[in-house]
């Protein structure tokens, strides 16, 4: 069993590297492939090992997907927020610092999540039972918050409505997995095309060491972990929306 787990970890790391470093390939796509092959794979291994591969793959993806988001401007749905601040660092020659800060935040958040997992497993079902009847209203308030914080609120509202109509149309198509072409085109291909069109001259990058252990870092990680834990129970709110809400909470402190 130990040898099988080690092999599963190695396979998960390899697949996570592929999805994390390749623009347009999301970890969910590889997980879907594994699930599709599961009837064949389960003849040689157990569901526990397949689950181990998927978990390791997802964790590895989380640490690596900031690299194409910052250096290439080709984010996926969980790193779209890295484009603007990440590119600011990139144009200043500090892309390495941006990646290091992103990876450090992911590492600390993972450690906190592991330490609190025993408590969260018991608390989250209780919280969900209390809010499940009001999830629609919570999503509406979160959407209004994201629209109001924009400078061009009218266009933000228009884009929000168009995105909703587009989503309803796609989900009503006769496709087994409509989200794959949808997310790939919107987050992968679109980002690459914009990067090619802009033709930005990337300056020579320098290796700098940001201050990781600071009060600002602790505030960002704590608010991100808190908001991420809560929004993970809500459909329609992903890591990017959680990061925006978390960043606003950090500014208010």
């Amino acid at each position: 069993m130990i040898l099988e787990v080690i092999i599963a970890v190695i396979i998960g790391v390899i697949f996570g590297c592929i999805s994390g470093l390749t623009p347009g390939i999301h970890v969910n796509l590889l997980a879907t492939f594994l699930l599709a092959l599961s009837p064949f794979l389960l003849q040689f291994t157990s569901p526990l090992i397949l689950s181990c591969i998927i978990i390791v793959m997802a964790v590895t993806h989380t640490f690596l997907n900031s690299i194409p988001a910052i250096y290439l401007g080709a984010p996926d749905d969980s790193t779209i927020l890295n484009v603007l601040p990440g590119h600011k660092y990139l144009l200043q020659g500090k892309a390495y610092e941006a990646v290091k800060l992103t990876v450090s935040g992911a590492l600390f958040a993972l450690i906190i999540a592991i330490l609190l997992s025993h408590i969260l497993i018991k608390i989250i079902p209780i919280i969900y039972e209390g809010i499940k009847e009001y999830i629609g209203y919570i999503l509406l308030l979160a959407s209004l918050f994201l629209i109001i914080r924009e400078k061009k609120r009218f266009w933000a509202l228009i884009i929000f409505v168009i995105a909703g109509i587009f989503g309803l149309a796609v989900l009503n198509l006769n496709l087994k997995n409509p989200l794959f072409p949808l997310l790939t085109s919107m987050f992968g291909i679109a980002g690459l095309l914009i990067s090619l069109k802009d033709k930005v001259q990337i300056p020579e990058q320098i290796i700098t060491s940001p201050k990781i252990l600071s009060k600002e870092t602790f505030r960002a990680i704590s608010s991100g972990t808190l908001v991420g834990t809560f929004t993970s129970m809500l459909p329609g709110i992903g890591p990017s929306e959680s990061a925006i809400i978390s960043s606003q909470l950090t500014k208010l402190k």
Side-chain angles (χ1 to χ4, degrees):
M1 175 63 74
I2 296 178
L3 179 60
E4 290 181 353
V5 171
I6 294 175
I7 295 175
V9 169
I10 295 174
I11 295 174
V13 169
I14 293 173
F15 284 171
C17 290
I18 293 173
S19 65
L21 296 176
T22 306
I25 296 183
H26 196 275
V27 64
N28 291 343
L29 171 63
L30 299 183
T32 302
F33 282 154
L34 285 177
L35 291 176
L37 294 173
S38 60
F40 171 75
L41 296 176
L42 289 176
Q43 298 178 15
F44 307 96
T45 185
S46 65
L48 178 62
I49 298 301
L50 288 181
S51 301
C52 182
I53 293 175
I54 294 175
I55 292 172
V56 174
M57 182 172 60
V59 172
T60 305
H61 177 92
T62 300
F63 282 94
L64 294 179
N65 60 359
S66 61
I67 296 177
I70 292 173
Y71 281 96
L72 302 179
D76 61 13
D77 62 324
S78 63
T79 56
I80 185 67
L81 192 66
N82 288 354
V83 172
L84 291 178
H87 275 189
K88 289 180 182 178
Y89 275 86
L90 178 67
L91 296 177
Q92 295 173 3
K94 299 180 179 180
Y96 172 83
E97 183 173 340
V99 173
K100 190 172 182 179
L101 287 170
T102 304
V103 173
S104 300
L107 177 61
F108 287 131
L110 178 62
I111 293 173
I112 293 174
I114 292 174
L115 294 176
L116 298 178
S117 60
H118 183 70
I119 299 175
L120 293 176
I121 289 174
K122 296 181 178 180
I123 293 179
I124 288 180
I126 299 175
I127 297 176
Y128 179 77
E129 286 296 324
I131 67 172
K132 67 178 183 180
E133 300 295 333
Y134 309 98
I135 286 181
Y137 300 104
I138 296 174
L139 292 176
L140 181 61
L141 290 175
S143 300
L144 290 175
F145 171 77
L146 294 174
I147 293 172
I148 292 173
R149 68 178 294 276
E150 293 291 338
K151 293 181 180 180
K152 298 181 179 180
R153 297 185 180 90
F154 173 76
W155 289 111
L157 178 61
I158 294 297
I159 293 173
F160 175 78
V161 173
I162 293 175
I165 296 173
F166 183 47
L168 287 173
V170 170
L171 292 176
N172 282 282
L173 293 175
N174 189 21
L175 296 174
K176 291 183 179 180
N177 189 9
L179 293 181
F180 168 62
L182 174 66
L183 296 178
T184 301
S185 61
M186 294 186 69
F187 295 108
I189 298 175
L192 285 174
L193 292 177
I194 292 173
S195 298
L196 292 173
K197 179 183 176 182
D198 290 342
K199 297 180 180 179
V200 177
Q201 295 295 326
I202 300 177
E204 182 179 354
Q205 301 297 304
I206 57 176
I207 304 299
T208 56
S209 297
K211 187 178 181 181
I212 302 299
L213 300 177
S214 64
K215 186 181 295 185
E216 290 76 13
T217 304
F218 175 77
R219 285 167 50 187
I221 293 174
S222 59
S223 62
T225 303
L226 177 63
V227 174
T229 300
F230 179 74
T231 55
S232 63
M233 297 180 286
L234 303 176
I237 296 184
S240 298
E241 293 79 12
S242 301
I244 293 174
I245 296 173
S246 173
S247 63
Q248 296 300 309
L249 292 178
T250 303
K251 290 180 182 178
L252 293 175
K253 293 181 180 180

